[in-house]
Amino acid sequence: MTTPIYAWARLHELTGPQVHEILQARESVFIVEQHCPYQEADECDPHAWHMTGRINGKLACYVRVVEPGKRYPHPSIGRVLTTQEFRGTGLGRPMMQEAIRYTHQLYPGQPIQIGAQAHLVAFYNDVGFEQISDEYLEDGIAHILMLLRC
Ligand SMILES: CC(C)(COP(=O)(O)OP(=O)(O)OC[C@H]1O[C@@H](n2cnc3c(N)ncnc32)[C@H](O)[C@@H]1OP(=O)(O)O)[C@@H](O)C(=O)NCCC(=O)NCCS
């Protein structure tokens, strides 16, 4: 597996083409691929740090870290994706580890909360998250709340 080059930025620090690339990737995965009409670009985006991971200049993965008190009481990692070209090539766990590292740097000593698609519980367990809720439906997809304790 090639290690991506990770970069973190606030929304206002990104250029127009960078924002377009991120939203295109997110919509492509979460709306088109998952057949789910929902508000993709949302009110959390201005309150988030946006991470891109690039391989040979191409967008390979993306996550955002949302400030505590906006999506959940704790800082939160979301919109976790690898792009189709790089899906299933082993980027998932290292990408999450980078997101956790950065969130701990931003918010030392705080737990991290996620709303995970329920079928990915093992993926998030592997990087330290524990299930803290029953399944619930969000935009028609089964989710669970998970917490990484500090
Ligand atoms: C979730 C995601 C980011 C993982 O990235 P990836 O490129 O598949 O990651 P990896 O190749 O490193 O695989 C990591 C592990 O996740 C598991 N996994 C990936 N997709 C899965 C799925 N749909 N269901 C169950 N497990 C899955 C893999 O089996 C692998 O486990 P293994 O190493 O024990 O075999 C990617 O599948 C993705 O972008 N999915 C669509 C967007 C999404 O649903 N994001 C999560 C929102 S909560």
Side-chain angles (χ1 to χ4, degrees):
M1 187 206 67
T2 312
T3 303
I5 296 173
Y6 298 117
W8 288 90
R10 296 291 263 180
L11 191 60
H12 66 270
E13 295 169 331
L14 295 166
T15 64
Q18 287 170 331
V19 172
H20 175 256
E21 182 187 40
I22 287 169
L23 292 182
Q24 191 172 35
R26 284 174 22 182
E27 290 179 6
S28 167
V29 172
F30 293 111
I31 299 179
V32 180
E33 181 187 321
Q34 300 192 346
H35 306 288
C36 184
Y38 81 118
Q39 187 62 58
E40 219 304 306
D42 66 5
E43 68 288 347
C44 291
D45 282 315
H47 301 280
W49 283 261
H50 301 267
M51 187 205 81
T52 52
R54 289 180 186 283
I55 294 177
N56 299 326
K58 291 183 181 171
L59 185 65
C61 56
Y62 169 87
V63 301
R64 72 179 184 184
V65 171
V66 178
E67 295 167 5
K70 290 293 169 196
R71 180 91 172 96
Y72 299 113
H74 303 296
S76 170
I77 297 171
R79 301 293 199 267
V80 176
L81 70 85
T82 50
T83 57
Q84 278 293 345
E85 184 179 349
F86 296 95
R87 182 81 51 84
T89 63
L91 296 184
R93 286 188 193 86
M95 161 178 69
M96 280 305 297
Q97 282 157 354
E98 167 62 13
I100 292 164
R101 181 199 69 77
Y102 195 78
T103 310
H104 281 154
Q105 184 180 302
L106 288 169
Y107 301 105
Q110 293 199 39
I112 303 171
Q113 188 165 353
I114 58 173
Q117 293 190 12
H119 68 279
L120 289 172
V121 61
F123 170 70
Y124 292 115
N125 275 156
D126 277 357
V127 291
F129 285 87
E130 296 166 39
Q131 183 169 348
I132 57 162
S133 79
D134 292 332
E135 276 190 26
Y136 60 94
L137 280 184
E138 186 175 312
D139 303 311
I141 296 177
H143 278 73
I144 49 170
L145 291 176
M146 301 187 80
L147 198 69
L148 180 67
R149 298 179 199 280
C150 39

